[in-house]
């Protein structure tokens, strides 16, 4: 990994940690996601918990939607999700979490070349979405839509 890419990933992780630290609400917002595009633009999203679990929305979805609204032609380069500890986890710090399976599918639909920041002890690794989702679902819906 190049030094420049590592520094950009570190900066995105730090800013995403700051976002969840500022906006954390127990049982409402526990995860923030950050996305950095090739041009250097960053967007952030919060996990939104709902009373009906299925209505909840992942932080990666919120960050990706903002990214696409601002400029769908600016490719996503880096993605990270950071979880804030719950009140009964006082001894823990914010930590990087891998995207869930649905987010892996969604990100690979819209940002197939993105690198995902994953935990690796006290540091992190960068992995491709293909590494995380080697057998991606490939349907026919978009082929029919043109």
């Amino acid at each position: 990994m190049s030094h420049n890419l590592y520094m950009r990933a570190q900066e995105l992780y730090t800013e995403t940690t700051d976002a969840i630290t500022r906006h954390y609400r127990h049982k409402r917002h526990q995860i923030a996601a950050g996305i950095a595009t090739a041009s250097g633009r960053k967007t952030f999203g919060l996990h939104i918990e709902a009373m009906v679990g299925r209505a909840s929305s992942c932080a990666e979805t919120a960050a990706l939607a903002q990214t696409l609204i601002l400029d769908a032609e600016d490719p996503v380069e880096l993605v990270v999700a950071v979880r804030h500890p719950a009140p009964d986890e006082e001894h823990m710090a914010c930590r990087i979490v891998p995207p869930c399976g649905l987010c892996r599918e969604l990100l690979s639909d819209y940002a197939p070349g993105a690198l995902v920041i994953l935990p690796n002890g006290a540091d992190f690794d960068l992995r491709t979405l293909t590494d995380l989702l080697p057998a991606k679902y490939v349907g026919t819906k978009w082929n029919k839509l043109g």
Side-chain angles (χ1 to χ4, degrees):
M1 159 179 13
S2 76
H3 178 71
N4 185 39
L5 184 60
Y6 181 86
M7 295 306 294
R8 291 179 61 209
Q10 180 66 49
E11 184 177 280
L12 182 65
Y13 163 64
T14 299
E15 290 178 22
T16 305
T17 300
D18 290 346
I20 193 56
T21 300
R22 283 191 319 275
H23 299 290
Y24 171 77
R25 285 189 58 206
H26 184 58
K27 296 188 179 180
R28 297 286 177 134
H29 311 302
Q30 60 199 24
I31 296 175
I35 289 179
T37 64
S39 72
R41 189 170 35 85
K42 296 178 195 132
T43 56
F44 302 91
L46 290 177
H47 163 88
I48 299 174
E49 190 68 35
M51 286 294 243
V52 176
R54 185 173 161 96
S56 297
S57 181
C58 292
E60 294 92 336
T61 302
L64 181 62
Q66 284 188 69
T67 301
L68 296 174
I69 287 169
L70 293 173
D71 185 356
E73 302 304 315
D74 188 7
V76 173
E77 184 174 64
L78 295 166
V79 178
V80 67
V82 178
R83 180 185 179 273
H84 191 284
D88 63 346
E89 300 172 315
E90 296 172 357
H91 61 286
M92 296 181 72
C94 289
R95 62 186 169 92
I96 297 170
V97 293
C100 73
L102 288 173
C103 287
R104 292 174 193 205
E105 288 282 350
L106 182 66
L107 288 165
S108 67
D109 282 347
Y110 289 91
L115 295 172
V116 180
I117 301 170
L118 295 175
N120 182 5
D123 203 6
F124 60 83
D125 286 331
L126 294 175
R127 305 283 298 275
T128 67
L129 283 162
T130 304
D131 288 340
L132 300 181
L133 194 65
K136 178 179 174 20
Y137 173 78
V138 179
T140 59
K141 177 170 58 170
W142 287 349
N143 292 339
K144 291 179 182 176
L145 295 176

